[in-house]
Amino acid sequence: MAIVPKKHEMPSQAPEVRAHNFKEVALGYTAEIAVEEANRCLNCKNQPCVSGCPVNIHIPEFIAKVKEGEFEEAYKIISMTSSLPAVCGRVCPQESQCESKCTLGIRFEPVGIGRLERFVADYHNENSKEDPVVPESNGHKVAIVGSGPSGLTCAGDLAKKGYKVTVYEALHTAGGVLVYGIPEFRLPKAIVAKEVETLKKLNVDVETNVVIGKTLTIDELFDMGYEAVFVGSGAGLPRFMNIPGEAYKGVYSANEFLTRSNLMKAYRDDPVTPIMKGGKVAVVGGGNVAMDAARTALRLGAEKVYIVYRRSMEELPARKEEVEHAQEEGIDFRLLNNPVEILGYNNPDDPRDPKNGFVTGIKCIKMELGEPDASGRRRPVEIPGSEFVLDVDTVVMAIGTSPNPLIKNTTKGLDVNSHGGIIVNEDGLTSREAVYAGGDAVTGAATVISAMGAGKLAARSIDEYLSKKN
Amino acid sequence: MYRIVSKKPLNSTVTQMEIEAPLVANKARPGQFIILRVDEDGERIPLTVAGTNKENGTVKIIFQIVGGTTEKLNHKNEGEYLQDFVGPLGVATHTDGIKKVCIVGGGVGCAIAMPVAQEFHALGAEVTSIIGFRNKDIVILEDEFRACSDRLFVMTDDGSYGQHGNVTVPLKEMLEKGETFDQIITIGPLIMMKFVVLAAKPYNIPVTVSMNPIMIDGTGMCGGCRLTLEQDGKRVTKFACVDGPDFNGYEVDFDEAMSRNRMYMDFERHAYEEACNLFKKEVA
Ligand SMILES: Cc1cc2nc3c(=O)[nH]c(=O)nc-3n(C[C@H](O)[C@H](O)[C@H](O)COP(=O)(O)OP(=O)(O)OC[C@H]3O[C@@H](n4cnc5c(N)ncnc54)[C@H](O)[C@@H]3O)c2cc1C
Ligand SMILES: Cc1cc2nc3c(=O)[nH]c(=O)nc-3n(C[C@H](O)[C@H](O)[C@H](O)COP(=O)(O)OP(=O)(O)OC[C@H]3O[C@@H](n4cnc5c(N)ncnc54)[C@H](O)[C@@H]3O)c2cc1C
Ligand code: SF4
Ligand code: SF4
Ligand code: FES
């Protein structure tokens, strides 16, 4: 049988339609397409794809089950190593992970591993009505800080082993970046909510509205009888560029812009939380966060959305699919441009002019690529005298985040590195006994799958530690 | 869900509530705040902890009805529940080494200032309080302030109660007479705090101001509450929810803060009218 050279297309909403709604862009494979796509897999003996997956999902095995139409069996194989397949199948940067190693990819397009994973997970979620079996309690209590992918995964793995787990979350909804950052059109909130529901069925307590370091400290958690703590508090502290004009009204961090839209539902027609809608928007940055902010702005009704990024298309760190989707939707990529100042309105004759202090534009300087830097990427350098102004009403800064210092500042003996990331050893253990950490809180902003992997590792280590303590 | 244990109007637009939230009650210190949502899909709004009762596990809040969310909050009654209530957030007011303090509160800012005044009184400091209101009808917390102050000035802008004038009048008088304080702490409208800072400046008395920018998460995640301080000639960005809400009054860029607080003016007006329509009430 001849090999189908291309991945089966993902059924999607048409660009001109989806640019005006918040519904999911990619609609998912049907069973027929999934089986056909699975048939492209060569079932390679050496399984190169598996080494590309941070949690080593048994890829050829699960795909073999899809070929046979045994979707529930496929799900069981994925579940052996991953807890959030419906999420990772949607948001993993597959092109640089599993699919980058796929044998087929040498001559053709790789197998659509992520799309198959998503199909299997969605199939399971739709068809399986089984409640998880609650294991017998082993009497040990563990506390988890943060309900992002690392925390949810650690909680789930421990609960399945019989631990009594409590997840403490600062916000009013569990899910971390999956609910406040990644927008509905890429990851429906119902999927995250379902993961949280499953945890609750496993007898995990999810306590929202508790800020560890404020409401309770880590030391108090131990006083309350928890024998180990996992910190999965993420990297939620936004960075700004420190250029003039960042305090003008209409300048947002991506976190604020996305939180207002996602978590606070400002995208609705009559929201209670305000957001600047419409007009022209410049999003500064080139990662997934920038793509999400730009596409959110578009859906909120912007007439024009720019991505301003200081390197070129090749260095754009966002998932390839998101960049393509953004381009199809009409986002204007202004590459090799770096903002130097944000301009605002100031009426010298009328200090009470209501327009005063609002953004009017962003001044950028053109860049060219110079010598490669430490990361191997060619370093952008300014072209003198090439400044120009883009007229915009809103600027969203999506240039990265760092770990929040709240927990470090309130936990004696918890060591962090110079970027504020919590230091852990190969078991996920911090400098404090019985305190483990993982995800973005350790690595700085990374990926869902690596956070999930860190949660799994910590669960294993905590189990070993507490079993020995017995 | 968080139960409303008691509710009491302090004047026609200011209400006091006690909310059952034992973890917050256990931890909160003067100067800290909470964030609440009235109902599912509600907005997150910050309010200062106006007092706690550790035995009952309750937290007192005092809020002024200024817009949609505070209007909805005011329609909740004793025995009903709030959707979310998280805290205590922010850094507590510094009290170390302060033996003589002047507390200057304006309007509903007096509610925020009251627990701070009580704390200093309990610590044995000499407390001078100046509380100011637009007119007689909206004077709040006078008895509470009297109980914890060695000296109290009640001011009204129109002279309909207490002394005539704004809060800087008695402050300037005292300072001109050579009185001095270890610290002035002022809480109220931005413009009032700005003038208190100006009044204190010639005498070099440290002034703490309590900033109230628009917030969402309150944990340092969104950056929306940022404000600019002028420190050693450099402009520094701080997040009021985690670095504040108290700041050195001489460093704060008030004009920028005032401008940023007006970001959503049109939206807020609309939301308020919506809420009022919901409860069939005239918008003043
Ligand atoms: C807009 C956006 C788009 C992204 N897109 C992708 C993508 O396409 N693919 C991908 O792989 N990755 C993507 N990422 C990155 C990915 O989401 C993160 O790497 C991942 O969520 C990190 O998981 P985590 O568990 O470490 O932390 P988080 O998801 O950040 O969760 C941390 C949780 O802890 C809570 N918390 C923090 N401090 C405390 C405290 N003191 N007490 C209690 N709770 C606390 C927070 O409120 C939060 O809910 C994206 C990130 C963003 C922001
Ligand atoms: C740390 C802090 C402590 C506070 N403590 C108190 C208190 O003890 N009692 C009290 O009455 N008020 C307090 N406030 C102000 C209170 O949060 C606002 O009045 C409230 O959010 C208004 O919501 P709204 O929907 O009713 O009005 P809106 O219609 O949203 O706004 C009306 C006015 O309130 C301001 N405002 C709007 N949203 C916020 C916000 N999230 N934070 C601050 N100001 C806002 C607007 O600039 C506007 O002038 C505090 C604010 C902060 C930041
Ligand atoms: S979890 Fe991510 S990297 Fe691993 S197989 Fe699935 S899509 Fe690929
Ligand atoms: S490398 Fe590609 S073709 Fe080979 S087993 Fe993995 S997915 Fe299938
Ligand atoms: S309120 Fe979001 S960072 Fe302060």
Side-chain angles (χ1 to χ4, degrees):
Chain A
M1 202 169 65
I3 291 174
V4 181
K6 291 198 167 226
K7 274 190 220 179
H8 286 80
E9 288 261 340
M10 179 61 120
S12 300
Q13 283 194 71
E16 55 284 5
V17 175
R18 69 183 193 234
H20 305 289
N21 70 47
F22 276 86
K23 293 196 203 111
E24 195 171 12
V25 168
L27 304 170
Y29 279 170
T30 59
E32 292 73 35
I33 307 179
V35 172
E36 280 176 39
E37 181 64 24
N39 275 323
R40 295 179 67 228
C41 173
L42 306 171
N43 203 353
C44 309
K45 282 266 151 349
N46 54 343
Q47 309 195 334
C49 48
V50 175
S51 66
C53 170
V55 299
N56 305 121
I57 289 188
H58 306 309
I59 296 167
E61 286 91 337
F62 101 73
I63 295 183
K65 290 294 174 196
V66 177
K67 284 184 195 174
E68 295 164 19
E70 298 284 349
F71 305 137
E72 203 51 45
E73 291 302 310
Y75 182 79
K76 282 190 190 135
I77 294 171
I78 296 176
S79 312
M80 290 161 69
T81 46
S82 168
S83 345
L84 302 167
V87 176
C88 296
R90 284 175 167 80
V91 305
C92 257
Q94 292 98 0
E95 69 272 14
S96 58
Q97 298 184 353
C98 53
E99 294 180 16
S100 74
K101 298 278 161 64
C102 173
T103 315
L104 259 196
I106 300 172
R107 289 188 47 209
F108 308 108
E109 280 188 11
V111 174
I113 302 170
R115 293 173 182 182
L116 288 173
E117 181 177 332
R118 165 183 168 164
F119 166 78
V120 169
D122 287 356
Y123 177 91
H124 169 83
N125 283 346
E126 225 162 85
N127 293 289
S128 163
K129 301 277 172 276
E130 276 172 55
D131 274 349
V133 194
V134 182
E136 205 176 310
S137 161
N138 67 13
H140 291 294
K141 281 171 69 181
V142 179
I144 310 277
V145 182
S147 63
S150 67
L152 293 180
T153 303
C154 189
D157 281 15
L158 287 168
K160 284 179 199 149
K161 292 197 170 109
Y163 289 89
K164 181 66 201 137
V165 181
T166 309
V167 178
Y168 291 104
E169 168 56 49
L171 293 172
H172 59 257
T173 310
V177 168
L178 307 183
V179 297
Y180 77 70
I182 304 182
E184 180 79 13
F185 58 81
R186 218 148 64 74
L187 178 66
K189 302 294 158 267
I191 291 175
V192 186
K194 188 164 163 97
E195 297 297 342
V196 176
E197 277 319 302
T198 309
L199 278 189
K200 288 184 181 162
K201 284 185 189 149
L202 279 168
N203 234 343
V204 171
D205 288 328
V206 180
E207 300 277 351
T208 51
N209 298 326
V210 179
V211 186
I212 300 301
K214 287 285 176 188
T215 318
L216 293 167
T217 62
I218 295 217
D219 291 297
E220 284 168 321
L221 292 176
F222 285 109
D223 294 343
M224 288 161 70
Y226 294 104
E227 296 158 88
V229 176
F230 173 76
V231 180
S233 52
L237 196 72
R239 284 201 211 118
F240 289 90
M241 291 189 76
N242 294 321
I243 56 175
E246 279 180 307
Y248 281 129
K249 290 173 278 191
V251 182
Y252 291 96
S253 76
N255 272 2
E256 180 182 1
F257 192 69
L258 290 167
T259 299
R260 282 180 183 272
S261 179
N262 292 331
L263 184 70
M264 305 314 297
K265 309 192 174 98
Y267 67 82
R268 292 190 178 170
D269 285 341
D270 208 355
V272 293
T273 297
I275 194 165
M276 298 214 5
K277 294 183 183 178
K280 298 197 182 84
V281 182
V283 177
V284 180
N288 286 321
V289 185
M291 298 305 134
D292 285 346
R295 298 171 70 200
T296 296
L298 189 71
R299 284 160 174 76
L300 287 171
E303 57 188 78
K304 179 90 199 166
V305 182
Y306 303 101
I307 289 271
V308 177
Y309 180 57
R310 64 198 181 104
R311 299 177 193 253
S312 71
M313 206 62 173
E314 252 149 69
E315 289 88 6
L316 218 57
R319 290 180 76 218
K320 207 164 128 253
E321 189 174 284
E322 306 319 327
V323 177
E324 286 165 6
H325 280 161
Q327 284 173 320
E328 287 166 14
E329 289 164 12
I331 306 283
D332 190 345
F333 283 71
R334 296 300 180 101
L335 305 173
L336 287 167
N337 286 319
N338 202 28
V340 289
E341 182 180 357
I342 296 165
L343 309 174
Y345 188 86
N346 285 306
N347 183 347
D349 302 326
D350 182 5
R352 306 185 68 90
D353 187 332
K355 291 205 289 284
N356 279 346
F358 277 95
V359 171
T360 57
I362 180 166
K363 189 195 264 181
C364 304
I365 187 163
K366 295 196 170 134
M367 312 290 280
E368 60 190 353
L369 290 178
E371 296 299 307
D373 63 11
S375 70
R377 298 191 298 180
R378 290 177 64 194
R379 209 164 56 86
V381 284
E382 294 181 352
I383 303 174
S386 66
E387 287 92 344
F388 66 100
V389 173
L390 283 177
D391 291 336
V392 294
D393 313 281
T394 302
V395 174
V396 182
M397 290 293 176
I399 54 166
T401 52
S402 46
N404 194 314
L406 202 55
I407 291 182
K408 177 205 89 182
N409 290 347
T410 52
T411 312
K412 272 209 195 80
L414 189 71
D415 293 343
V416 302
N417 63 27
S418 58
H419 302 290
I422 301 174
I423 297 172
V424 296
N425 70 9
E426 64 282 2
D427 298 325
L429 179 67
T430 67
S431 53
R432 275 282 301 263
E433 193 188 343
V435 179
Y436 296 75
D440 286 2
V442 168
T443 57
T447 58
V448 173
I449 185 73
S450 52
M452 196 196 86
K456 280 192 135 4
L457 171 75
R460 211 155 47 230
S461 304
I462 290 171
D463 181 42
E464 269 168 33
Y465 165 72
L466 291 180
S467 314
K468 265 190 228 135
K469 232 181 106 183
N470 245 344
Chain B
M1 301 285 272
Y2 303 82
R3 194 162 64 96
I4 300 167
V5 178
S6 73
K7 175 182 174 184
K8 179 173 123 190
L10 298 185
N11 67 32
S12 59
T13 64
V14 176
T15 302
Q16 170 179 312
M17 280 182 179
E18 280 176 292
I19 313 293
E20 197 169 67
L23 290 179
V24 184
N26 197 32
K27 267 290 163 60
R29 311 252 304 102
Q32 290 189 296
F33 63 97
I34 57 92
I35 284 187
L36 63 77
R37 288 201 315 157
V38 176
D39 47 28
E40 186 64 50
D41 293 350
E43 187 181 19
R44 293 173 68 96
I45 64 158
L47 295 172
T48 304
V49 173
T52 55
N53 183 328
K54 286 195 173 62
E55 271 103 76
N56 301 343
T58 58
V59 177
K60 193 192 288 175
I61 52 174
I62 297 175
F63 60 93
Q64 179 157 35
I65 301 148
V66 293
T69 302
T70 42
E71 173 75 26
K72 273 201 277 179
L73 179 58
N74 194 44
H75 276 265
K76 288 278 174 191
N77 289 315
E78 218 168 277
E80 292 189 291
Y81 290 81
L82 301 181
Q83 182 74 28
D84 298 291
F85 195 89
V86 57
L89 303 169
V91 183
T93 301
H94 291 294
T95 50
D96 287 356
I98 300 172
K99 298 268 176 293
K100 190 172 177 210
V101 64
C102 182
I103 312 272
V104 186
V108 76
C110 295
I112 308 180
M114 179 189 65
V116 177
Q118 288 170 335
E119 171 86 351
F120 276 109
H121 180 71
L123 290 171
E126 185 187 330
V127 179
T128 302
S129 299
I130 309 173
I131 56 176
F133 305 89
R134 272 200 320 278
N135 59 51
K136 174 172 191 272
D137 297 336
I138 57 170
V139 173
I140 55 170
L141 303 172
E142 185 183 352
D143 293 342
E144 284 82 351
F145 269 101
R146 205 168 294 288
C148 66
S149 308
D150 299 274
R151 235 181 334 176
L152 175 69
F153 299 89
V154 183
M155 311 297 298
T156 52
D157 292 353
D158 65 355
S160 54
Y161 189 76
Q163 297 181 41
H164 191 164
N166 65 34
V167 290
T168 51
V169 173
L171 179 66
K172 278 185 183 151
E173 264 173 28
M174 281 187 285
L175 297 176
E176 272 161 22
K177 279 198 207 122
E179 267 221 56
T180 176
F181 299 97
D182 297 331
Q183 186 82 39
I184 297 172
I185 298 178
T186 178
I187 307 177
L190 287 167
I191 189 78
M192 178 199 98
M193 295 196 286
K194 182 177 167 173
F195 279 108
V196 170
V197 171
L198 287 176
K201 196 162 189 178
Y203 308 93
N204 244 329
I205 298 174
V207 183
T208 299
V209 297
S210 176
M211 300 301 286
N212 51 6
I214 296 174
M215 295 186 174
I216 311 186
D217 58 301
T219 64
M221 181 273 279
C222 77
C225 64
R226 64 189 185 277
L227 48 89
T228 307
L229 301 186
E230 188 93 39
Q231 282 177 340
D232 308 324
K234 275 216 224 70
R235 289 177 68 78
V236 189
T237 299
K238 294 277 175 190
F239 294 167
C241 68
V242 282
D243 301 317
D246 288 356
F247 291 96
N248 177 345
Y250 294 114
E251 295 178 350
V252 172
D253 182 338
F254 279 102
D255 295 336
E256 179 188 292
M258 282 187 250
S259 173
R260 281 186 65 79
N261 259 20
R262 288 194 297 266
M263 178 149 171
Y264 299 108
M265 222 153 46
D266 292 345
F267 179 96
E268 285 155 355
R269 179 85 198 157
H270 172 74
Y272 187 26
E273 283 163 12
E274 287 282 299
C276 291
N277 283 341
L278 204 62
F279 302 115
K280 297 268 180 300
K281 202 183 115 189
E282 287 286 307
V283 181

